[in-house]
Amino acid sequence: SQQGEEDPQALSIQEGENATMNCSYKTSINNLQWYRQNSGRGLVHLILIRSNEREKHSGRLRVTLDTSKKSSSLLITASRAADTASYFCATDAATDKLIFGTGTRLQVFP
Amino acid sequence: DAGVTQSPTHLIKTRGQQVTLRCSPKSGHDTVSWYQQALGQGPQFIFQYYEEEERQRGNFPDRFSGHQFPNYSSELNVNALLLGDSALYLCASSLEVTTGGNSPLHFGNGTRLTVT
């Protein structure tokens, strides 16, 4: 079963625009992580935000977490064609295993 | 520093057969997790191994079993294959997680299993 759901399922933008993806989850968490997956390959860890943090930055990435709404967002600023990938949120659901969401497929056109 | 390696990269099997997938974790990592990813879906947690024991298990039948060796490498075995087992199988390694799952996962590129 999926703990998280990303929204939108698919997103198409032009290079230079910002991309925002949202993640909603169901149960209490200790932390939330975002991963990227290029077509047919393994996932790459992007950023981890703990339940007591509200916002975190890493390069062109900005992640927010609202535990009262059980939601998170990932913002990619100044998108590049190389950002084309699927993006997944993952939560630990108070256990040691990570449960992934359904993913957002991002297409960035040159 | 070698990352997570998985073998084979692709595999075609027939219904009813058995398959073994292999994973070598990133150097220094001691915990291995396995995920199944159907086309267009998110990865689904199968199980996690630490100190050669299955520590956590997802909602998968007993046809799915695993093993972790003293060198931390791991195998995933699937018996009595079904068409629905066709998927990308991903191995991920991490350091032994403290309470709260604070350790990011490092993934291999997966094994693409096709069951015909």
Side-chain angles (χ1 to χ4, degrees):
Chain A
S1 61
Q2 305 284 165
Q3 152 78 322
E5 287 192 8
E6 284 87 343
D7 169 60
Q9 290 187 334
L11 180 62
S12 295
I13 59 174
Q14 295 292 132
E15 262 190 334
E17 294 180 338
N18 295 341
T20 299
M21 291 157 256
N22 303 296
C23 167
S24 60
Y25 56 92
K26 300 173 184 174
T27 63
S28 298
I29 61 172
N30 293 302
N31 68 67
L32 184 145
Q33 303 183 33
W34 284 89
Y35 287 79
R36 183 187 74 208
Q37 184 179 35
N38 289 86
S39 181
R41 299 182 68 81
L43 284 77
V44 176
H45 178 258
L46 295 176
I47 197 165
L48 181 154
I49 185 166
R50 304 188 194 288
S51 60
N52 62 354
E53 298 176 312
R54 291 297 167 257
E55 187 170 313
K56 201 162 183 179
H57 296 253
S58 177
R60 295 184 295 114
L61 306 180
R62 181 173 77 97
V63 169
T64 63
L65 178 63
D66 187 336
T67 53
S68 67
K69 296 181 179 178
K70 291 187 171 60
S71 68
S72 175
S73 68
L74 170 67
L75 168 67
I76 304 174
T77 60
S79 295
R80 305 166 181 168
D83 295 327
T84 294
S86 291
Y87 291 82
F88 296 90
C89 67
T91 56
D92 62 352
T95 68
D96 289 340
K97 62 185 181 185
L98 275 186
I99 304 299
F100 285 81
T102 51
T104 291
R105 289 177 295 283
L106 173 65
Q107 176 79 51
V108 181
F109 292 99
Chain B
D1 180 21
V4 178
T5 58
Q6 292 187 243
S7 63
T9 56
H10 295 82
L11 202 53
I12 300 175
K13 289 287 189 178
T14 304
R15 276 178 299 177
Q17 287 188 316
Q18 178 265 344
V19 69
T20 298
L21 311 181
R22 296 176 174 82
C23 171
S24 292
K26 178 180 169 66
S27 178
H29 285 183
D30 56 9
T31 302
V32 173
S33 302
W34 287 93
Y35 288 82
Q36 179 196 65
Q37 187 178 25
L39 202 60
Q41 302 294 316
Q44 298 272 351
F45 177 78
I46 303 175
F47 41 53
Q48 182 185 79
Y49 277 85
Y50 171 68
E51 291 190 337
E52 303 180 49
E53 290 193 358
E54 182 182 294
R55 186 163 65 174
Q56 299 248 13
R57 189 177 182 93
N59 188 27
F60 279 80
D62 292 345
R63 297 187 299 108
F64 289 77
S65 64
H67 190 77
Q68 185 180 34
F69 299 94
N71 66 352
Y72 308 119
S73 67
S74 178
E75 289 182 349
L76 164 65
N77 301 292
V78 187
N79 294 323
L81 284 167
L82 305 174
L83 294 179
D85 295 331
S86 294
L88 180 67
Y89 287 84
L90 294 163
C91 170
S93 72
S94 58
L95 286 171
E96 191 267 337
V97 291
T98 59
T99 301
N102 290 322
S103 189
L105 296 180
H106 293 253
F107 282 84
N109 283 326
T111 294
R112 173 71 64 185
L113 173 65
T114 302
V115 182
T116 63

